């Protein structure tokens, strides 16, 4: 059965310059499309991929990535902001790879554009009042 899935890959610093993803084509017979790629401030690599191929090849490819040390996250996870908790401190602005947070210079409030969010989870740890929430 053929599948096509969107996932987020988190690369630890030691793997950032390794040709890991290209092996999905060569060794696992999968096609991939890089939708977005970022480096986070602590130099973790973050890549949003669309992978397609046969289910058995997909499963093997995912196992290979995991064994290599790549953390894989499904894009079906959802990150939301609890508006009552947000203090508009701005701690999330610089750490969000796709720039989903923006300071409104007039109101001094931090706006959150959930359409840009990749559900990478970085803002969850960084938000002092724990206003950002991950839903599975
Ligand atoms: S870090 Fe948390 S509290 Fe501060 S602006 Fe961002 S979401 Fe709001
Ligand atoms: S989870 Fe947070 S840091 Fe990651 S993309 Fe979404 S808003 Fe930005």
């Amino acid at each position: 059965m053929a599948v096509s899935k969107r996932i987020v890959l988190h690369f630890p610093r030691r793997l950032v310059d390794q040709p890991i993803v290209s092996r999905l084509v060569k060794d696992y017979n999968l096609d991939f499309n890089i939708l977005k790629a970022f480096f986070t401030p602590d130099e973790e690599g973050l890549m949003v991929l669309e992978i397609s191929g046969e289910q058995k090849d997909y499963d093997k490819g995912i196992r290979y990535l995991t064994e290599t040390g790549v953390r894989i996250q499904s894009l079906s996870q959802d990150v939301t902001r609890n508006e009552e908790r947000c203090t508009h401190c701005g701690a999330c602005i610089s750490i969000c790879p796709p720039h989903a947070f923006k300071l409104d210079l007039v109101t001094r409030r931090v706006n959150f554009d959930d359409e840009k969010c990749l559900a990478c989870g970085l803002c969850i740890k960084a938000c002092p009042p724990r206003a950002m929430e991950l839903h599975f």
Side-chain angles (χ1 to χ4, degrees):
M1 183 181 62
V3 292
S4 179
K5 300 192 185 188
R6 290 182 172 199
I7 55 174
V8 183
L9 306 185
H10 295 253
F11 294 85
R13 188 187 301 203
R14 69 186 164 84
L15 296 178
V16 162
D17 55 357
Q18 303 292 313
I20 290 170
V21 172
S22 57
R23 281 195 58 197
L24 293 175
V25 177
K26 219 165 27 140
D27 299 346
Y28 297 93
N29 215 18
L30 294 165
D31 285 327
F32 71 86
N33 190 10
I34 299 175
L35 303 176
K36 287 181 182 166
F38 307 96
F39 286 97
T40 64
D42 60 0
E43 293 184 39
E44 185 191 50
L46 205 81
M47 198 181 273
V48 184
L49 278 190
E50 183 160 29
I51 303 183
S52 40
E54 289 298 315
Q55 179 76 56
K56 63 177 177 17
D57 294 327
Y58 177 84
D59 293 341
K60 285 182 195 163
I62 293 295
R63 198 174 315 130
Y64 152 70
L65 290 173
T66 308
E67 285 169 359
T68 312
V70 177
R71 186 161 64 82
I72 298 169
Q73 183 191 331
S74 156
L75 266 185
S76 59
Q77 291 175 336
D78 189 26
V79 170
T80 60
R81 183 165 75 174
N82 182 328
E83 297 298 334
E84 288 179 4
R85 284 197 176 174
C86 177
T87 57
H88 299 274
C89 67
C92 52
I93 294 175
S94 62
I95 59 125
C96 175
H99 308 294
F101 299 99
K102 203 168 174 196
L103 176 66
D104 182 322
L105 293 172
V106 177
T107 63
R108 308 302 298 174
R109 292 172 70 85
V110 176
N111 295 324
F112 172 48
D113 181 353
D114 60 359
E115 300 258 311
K116 288 186 177 172
C117 176
L118 303 170
C120 70
L122 290 173
C123 59
I124 292 169
K125 289 177 272 177
C127 174
R130 297 285 182 262
M132 300 307 294
E133 298 170 351
L134 183 64
H135 305 274
F136 294 91

